[in-house]
Amino acid sequence: MTLDDPAGSRRGLDPRRPGGHGRRRDRPPADGRGGRALDVVGRRTMIATSYIGSGVLLVGAGFLFRAEVLTAWTLTACWCAVFFLASAGAGAAYLTVSEIFPMETRALAIAAFYAVGTGLGGVVGPVPFGRLVETGDPAAVAGGYFLGAALMIAAGIVELLIGVAAARRSLEDIARPLSAEPT
């Protein structure tokens, strides 16, 4: 930092942080969420890879659970791997929802998709899975894992088939604002 550049912005420091410390603005984020890859590779590829990958991992966890070879720690590690990929896909999916609707309706579209996803994953899903757990049969619980894995893999395949190709395109090219002048 210098007196003529107190925030150090010419050196790539973040002027919004105290003392200019923080992530350099000329580098993509290194936080594991994809960052720049969402725009370079494309959300369709990232969503499909994340969903299919989490489904495959969940199948593996189901087989290990059914074989009763997992401890509490290793089962938790399996869940962490599955949820890491699934949450990356879900995050990219919410961003895609915001892109495929015109600017004036994006907030409503995101709210509707979030409500449906939360309803299915947070309200509807736990009831049948809880019944499987109540049986005390590892094979029944593994069946729930396999069902969840099938849904995740199917979602990834649907994204590959009908997902919007948004890589390196402006939002206006994907969904023209309702207020835009016809050309």
Side-chain angles (χ1 to χ4, degrees), residues 26-168:
D26 60 339
R27 295 184 187 152
D31 58 4
R33 290 181 295 168
R36 182 171 148 76
L38 288 173
D39 288 329
V40 175
V41 175
R43 286 178 177 82
R44 178 174 34 188
T45 302
M46 293 202 58
I47 293 168
T49 302
S50 298
Y51 279 10
I52 293 170
S54 66
V56 169
L57 289 176
L58 192 54
V59 167
F63 281 126
L64 293 172
F65 187 83
R66 187 171 65 187
E68 298 185 44
V69 296
L70 296 173
T71 66
W73 288 101
T74 55
L75 180 59
T76 302
C78 289
W79 287 341
C80 287
V82 168
F83 290 135
F84 177 80
L85 283 179
S87 66
Y94 285 123
L95 289 173
T96 301
V97 167
S98 72
E99 293 174 347
I100 61 174
F101 288 93
M103 181 174 49
E104 296 85 353
T105 61
R106 285 183 187 149
L108 181 60
I110 292 171
F113 277 82
Y114 182 79
V116 169
T118 301
L120 291 175
V123 178
V124 176
V127 173
F129 191 73
R131 290 200 177 117
L132 293 174
V133 171
E134 285 176 351
T135 67
D137 181 17
V141 175
Y145 284 17
F146 298 144
L147 175 62
L151 293 172
M152 292 298 292
I153 292 169
I157 292 169
V158 167
E159 178 64 24
L160 283 174
L161 296 175
I162 64 171
V164 175
R168 299 181 183 173

